[in-house]
Amino acid sequence: MTSPWQGRRIPLSWMLLTRQPVRLFVALAGISFAGILMFMQLGFRDGLFDASVTVHRLFDADLVLISPRSASSVRMAGFPRRRLIQTLADPSVEGVTPVHWGLMLWRNPETRRNRAILALGFNPDDPFFLDPGLAEQTGVLKQKGRILFDRLSRPEFGPIADWYNDGKVVETEIAGNRVRVEGLVSLGTSFGADGNLLTSTETFLDLMPQKSPGGIEVGLIRLQPGTDPDLAVERLQQRLPDDVTVLTKQGFIDFEQNYWKSSTSIGFIFTLGAAMGFVVGCVIVYQVLYTDVSDHLPEYATLMAMGYRMSHLLGVVMREGFYLAALGYVPAYLAGQGLYWFVRDATKLPVGMDPARAITVLVMILVMCMLSSLLAMRRLIDADPAEIF
């Protein structure tokens, strides 16, 4: 009877790995754990940076005017509104939108607990969002005391979206003032703000009377079609006093992301966590391969005595590392997908698998296993066939 394996060549490296299934399972579990750790740390880091500019990307603007004293979206300083009006003297400027930006105390209508929420105030007649669907909803803000609530806000603000969708009249207090929810928008939370709301300039100033009516925190500038934004920035920055900073829209996004990357320890912590996962994986794979080489030294010595070159035997160990990387990556990727879904559902942060991160972790696992293989090879290189026999 012909064997199903007859005529087939099974790689020596695969046979060595599968000879002890328990050891192989432990090794793959360790590699998968390291991969999951890297996926989670990098996912949290990238999710932080993406979430911090969710609102920024929605603005209908080519340029943005802010105060040089502003540090981030949660620490926006004000500047005179007239600076934004002065930009209209430039022929390349088509229109502007002044924006009030600040944190307010929102009272959960169910639990009566207060929580900080990010509020944006603007003239509902001015262009504000690129998304036509969002732009159409801003008309309801013309009535004083009306707001649009971000349905993606954390549940600690109350079941606002559920109540509104059920047809209930949703009212609550902000800084002691009564407001009514007239609609829902989808903006998204960030590490700096757990929720968002939109309102008119008039309502915003009523809710925050300490704000100067002549000051704003953000100025949106729309340019004439065909205008080079970078040249417009240089021209306006020269014309305006130094109490304002002119940025392109991408520059405004970079301004926010750079704050979280360089001015806080959050980005460093998540990157360090990914590095720790890489180190843990290296240690696990090294121990497995080193033990495997040590257990099979007589077999390696026999092959060397039969005339096999050292480079061939070293290739066997390298292929073992490659198999471990390939087999360990698959469960790490699948578990990462599941954990991203869980975190996204629990925190409303835009954490998800993207091709760049998937490839990055795959490369890190491959490097981790190949590096461990190189270190484990020292045991084989130092082996003396005469001593082994």
Side-chain angles (χ1 to χ4, degrees):
M1 185 176 183
T2 304
S3 170
W5 297 103
Q6 185 174 348
R8 300 184 182 182
R9 299 177 58 186
I10 303 176
L12 175 61
S13 53
W14 178 253
M15 295 179 65
L16 293 174
L17 275 180
T18 56
R19 184 169 176 242
Q20 294 182 314
V22 175
R23 179 186 294 176
L24 174 61
F25 176 80
V26 172
L28 294 180
I31 296 171
S32 298
F33 173 77
I36 292 171
L37 185 58
M38 287 187 284
F39 270 125
M40 294 309 300
Q41 297 297 321
L42 295 177
F44 277 132
R45 187 198 64 180
D46 295 343
L48 159 66
F49 298 150
D50 291 341
S52 65
V53 294
T54 301
V55 177
H56 303 56
R57 298 184 190 278
L58 297 174
F59 287 148
D60 183 4
D62 299 298
L63 307 181
V64 179
L65 211 62
I66 62 173
S67 168
R69 295 180 291 111
S70 295
S72 71
S73 60
V74 294
R75 296 174 57 191
M76 297 296 290
F79 63 90
R81 181 198 295 261
R82 63 179 179 273
R83 298 289 181 253
L84 183 62
I85 303 303
Q86 289 172 352
T87 64
L88 292 171
D90 191 295
S92 66
V93 175
E94 183 179 56
V96 298
T97 300
V99 180
H100 294 278
W101 186 305
L103 293 173
M104 298 181 178
L105 283 181
W106 167 280
R107 173 165 290 185
N108 185 323
E110 185 177 47
T111 64
R112 315 304 293 174
R113 293 181 179 178
N114 292 329
R115 191 179 184 91
I117 190 169
L118 179 62
L120 304 181
F122 59 99
N123 185 346
D125 291 325
D126 291 340
F128 191 61
F129 285 128
L130 289 172
D131 186 347
L134 289 173
E136 291 175 359
Q137 292 182 263
T138 58
V140 300
L141 301 178
K142 294 179 181 180
Q143 190 173 354
K144 191 174 180 180
R146 302 303 192 256
I147 67 168
L148 293 174
F149 184 81
D150 183 7
R151 60 165 54 90
L152 299 180
S153 299
R154 288 189 55 80
E156 286 80 358
F157 292 100
I160 309 301
D162 293 337
W163 287 0
Y164 182 84
N165 290 330
D166 290 341
K168 296 181 180 180
V169 176
V170 184
E171 293 184 339
T172 187
E173 292 182 4
I174 297 178
N177 297 279
R178 202 72 179 170
V179 296
R180 176 182 292 186
V181 176
E182 285 293 339
L184 301 175
V185 293
S186 298
L187 302 179
T189 62
S190 69
F191 278 80
D194 293 331
N196 307 283
L197 66 85
L198 305 177
T199 189
S200 66
T201 299
E202 182 182 10
T203 301
F204 186 97
L205 294 176
D206 283 345
L207 297 176
M208 298 189 72
Q210 71 274 20
K211 289 278 188 180
S212 171
I216 57 175
E217 285 70 43
V218 176
L220 305 182
I221 303 174
R222 293 173 298 280
L223 301 176
Q224 298 286 349
T227 303
D228 188 329
D230 294 321
L231 293 178
V233 167
E234 295 180 5
R235 190 166 56 249
L236 290 175
Q237 195 65 71
Q238 292 175 355
R239 293 181 177 180
L240 296 174
D242 57 4
D243 59 353
V244 291
T245 298
V246 186
L247 302 171
T248 62
K249 183 178 178 179
Q250 184 59 48
F252 186 45
I253 292 173
D254 295 340
F255 157 80
E256 180 69 20
Q257 291 185 329
N258 289 336
Y259 170 79
W260 296 103
K261 289 179 182 179
S262 59
S263 299
T264 68
S265 58
I266 297 176
F268 172 78
I269 290 173
F270 287 134
T271 303
L272 179 62
M276 291 301 296
F278 179 83
V279 173
V280 168
C282 284
V283 172
I284 293 173
V285 177
Y286 170 74
Q287 289 179 335
V288 170
L289 293 180
Y290 184 87
T291 303
D292 182 78
V293 171
S294 299
D295 291 347
H296 295 95
L297 273 182
E299 289 87 345
Y300 283 120
T302 300
L303 292 175
M304 294 170 64
M306 292 172 60
Y308 281 87
R309 296 189 300 272
M310 179 60 70
S311 60
H312 179 81
L313 301 182
L314 296 181
V316 171
V317 182
M318 289 291 291
R319 283 190 290 274
E320 286 188 67
F322 177 80
Y323 291 145
L324 288 174
L327 294 175
Y329 176 77
V330 175
Y333 177 86
L334 296 177
Q337 287 276 31
L339 288 171
Y340 282 162
W341 175 87
F342 176 77
V343 171
R344 189 167 56 250
D345 182 68
T347 66
K348 309 302 181 184
L349 290 175
V351 179
M353 186 69 69
D354 62 75
R357 191 180 310 121
I359 294 175
T360 297
V361 174
L362 175 60
V363 171
M364 291 179 70
I365 290 179
L366 283 172
V367 172
M368 176 180 74
C369 292
M370 293 300 101
L371 180 61
S372 301
S373 299
L374 290 173
L375 295 175
M377 285 177 184
R378 294 184 304 172
R379 184 74 178 95
L380 182 57
I381 294 174
D382 295 338
D384 187 348
E387 293 182 359
I388 294 175
F389 288 112

